[in-house]
């Protein structure tokens, strides 16, 4: 269990949320590039890619610290659906349409590591999970002894049921201790076959950010932050295990009525 609490930022509108998310992500980028000349980030699907694109594609101040350096980015996926990369359910396709295809040429080209269902047997999502774990091992394990990958940043969404990545409430995958990447064939949210980073990998990241917007998230946000019975929700487990490494970027409608202390600025 982490010793300290996550930060919950609340913004009046999409514009101010995007501005703060930009500062946060570029802060993580700059620290990572200074430290090891690469920024290793995992990205979710759902509502996250469009908010991230709004943050990163906006004109910046022109200062060095406010400039995306996509040539230094290694982009991985926090979860993916076992569908072709051009399928409308693909998280890769979503990120490509919202962000990757719109990056200005002078900001460089990221190295993108999709979870590509074409590389595995259709009926066997475990094969796809194994292949992606090998991809992570190639990227993170300079030595054979790396126990868990250390992402510089993992960007997460939170579903109205409290799921994050493809880790769903009450699902046995929440007890996974060894695998870096896991599969499921019984996702309660369609499509059923999915690949996901596991809880130990997510909580091992240096920084973890959730984006949760809209009144549709209000009930689950109260459960995650205020209610005893919400403690076992996947998003709450990440708060619990990663503590102050976790920052939530929410808008006012999503956190209306949440008692947990909220901040207005980074
Ligand atoms: O199915 C998924 O849902 C979550 C949450 O999506 P949101 O639209 O409520 O933000 C998302 O983070 C995940 O990547 C995706 O596969």
């Amino acid at each position: 269990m982490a010793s300290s609490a996550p930060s919950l930022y609340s913004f009046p509108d999409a514009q101010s949320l995007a501005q703060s998310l930009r500062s946060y992500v570029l802060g993580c980028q700059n620290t990572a590039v200074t430290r090891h000349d690469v920024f290793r980030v995992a990205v979710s699907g759902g509502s996250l890619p469009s908010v991230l694109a709004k943050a990163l594609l906006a004109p910046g101040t022109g200062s060095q610290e406010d400039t995306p350096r996509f040539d230094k980015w290694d982009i991985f996926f926090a979860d993916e659906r076992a569908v072709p990369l051009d399928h409308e359910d693909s998280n890769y396709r979503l990120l490509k349409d919202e962000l990757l295809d719109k990056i200005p040429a002078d900001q460089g080209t990221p190295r993108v590591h999709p979870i590509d269902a074409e590389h595995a047997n259709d009926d066997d999502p475990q094969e796809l999970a194994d292949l992606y774990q090998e991809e992570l091992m190639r990227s993170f394990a300079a030595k054979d002894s790396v126990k868990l990958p250390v992402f510089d940043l993992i960007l997460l969404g939170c579903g109205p049921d409290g799921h994050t990545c493809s880790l769903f409430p009450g699902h046995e995958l929440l007890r996974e201790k060894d695998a870096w990447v896991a599969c499921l064939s019984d996702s309660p949210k369609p499509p059923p076959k999915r690949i996901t980073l596991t809880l130990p990998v997510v909580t091992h990241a240096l920084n973890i950010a959730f984006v949760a917007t809209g009144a549709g998230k209000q009930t689950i946000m109260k459960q995650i932050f205020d209610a005893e019975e919400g403690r076992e929700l996947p998003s709450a487990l990440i708060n619990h295990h990663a503590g102050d490494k976790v920052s939530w970027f929410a808008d006012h409608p999503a956190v209306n009525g949440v008692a947990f202390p909220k901040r207005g600025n980074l």
Side-chain angles (χ1 to χ4, degrees):
M1 185 185 76
S3 57
S4 43
S7 298
L8 174 56
Y9 299 102
S10 174
F11 302 94
D13 50 46
Q15 185 64 25
S16 52
L17 188 156
Q19 268 170 13
S20 277
L21 184 64
R22 177 188 178 94
S23 304
Y24 173 87
V25 171
L26 295 183
C28 293
Q29 167 202 270
N30 297 337
T31 303
V33 170
T34 303
R35 182 179 295 160
H36 42 228
D37 202 34
V38 63
F39 180 44
R40 289 185 288 218
V41 56
V43 179
S44 298
S47 55
L48 189 273
S50 72
V51 182
L52 185 64
K54 193 173 175 56
L56 295 176
L57 299 177
T61 61
S63 69
Q64 207 182 341
E65 59 275 17
D66 188 49
T67 302
R69 300 183 61 191
F70 288 111
D71 55 317
K72 300 290 183 188
W73 287 44
D74 264 35
I75 301 181
F76 299 86
F77 286 80
D79 75 319
E80 183 55 282
R81 292 82 180 275
V83 295
L85 294 181
D86 58 358
H87 193 280
E88 61 178 14
D89 285 335
S90 163
N91 286 344
Y92 167 80
R93 176 177 162 179
L94 195 57
L95 187 73
K96 182 175 182 296
D97 291 350
E98 295 284 350
L99 176 66
L100 300 176
D101 285 352
K102 298 177 184 162
I103 293 174
D106 63 353
Q107 291 183 356
T109 306
R111 287 168 300 282
V112 183
H113 304 260
I115 303 176
D116 189 351
E118 303 273 301
H119 291 160
N121 179 336
D122 269 359
D123 297 324
D124 189 4
Q126 184 60 55
E127 187 185 348
L128 190 52
D130 291 345
L131 285 171
Y132 205 59
Q133 179 158 322
E134 284 166 21
E135 171 87 9
L136 292 186
M137 284 177 166
R138 276 192 296 275
S139 299
F140 284 88
K143 302 186 184 76
D144 293 340
S145 56
V146 171
K147 228 181 142 201
L148 284 170
V150 186
F151 283 95
D152 296 302
L153 171 63
I154 300 191
L155 289 161
L156 298 173
C158 170
D161 57 354
H163 85 268
T164 190
C165 299
S166 282
L167 299 167
F168 288 89
H171 198 279
E172 62 185 351
L173 276 189
L174 293 172
R175 294 191 294 276
E176 177 61 54
K177 294 272 184 296
D178 300 319
W180 294 9
V181 184
C183 70
L184 62 164
S185 298
D186 57 354
S187 164
K189 176 180 174 182
K193 286 186 190 172
R194 290 161 173 249
I195 307 301
T196 184
L197 298 183
T198 57
L199 205 51
V201 169
V202 176
T203 58
H204 205 60
L206 295 176
N207 302 283
I208 302 158
F210 281 90
V211 173
T213 58
K217 300 283 163 79
Q218 190 190 345
T219 304
I220 200 68
M221 291 295 278
K222 281 189 203 163
Q223 284 183 30
I224 291 167
F225 281 95
D226 296 345
E228 189 62 26
E229 65 271 19
R231 281 180 51 175
E232 298 300 319
L233 290 167
S235 299
L237 289 174
I238 290 174
N239 281 350
H240 183 70
H241 290 292
D244 64 0
K245 295 194 295 178
V246 186
S247 300
W248 286 75
F249 293 82
D251 61 5
H252 287 356
V255 290
N256 189 15
V258 172
F260 187 88
K262 297 177 279 288
R263 304 175 184 196
N265 269 312
L266 279 183

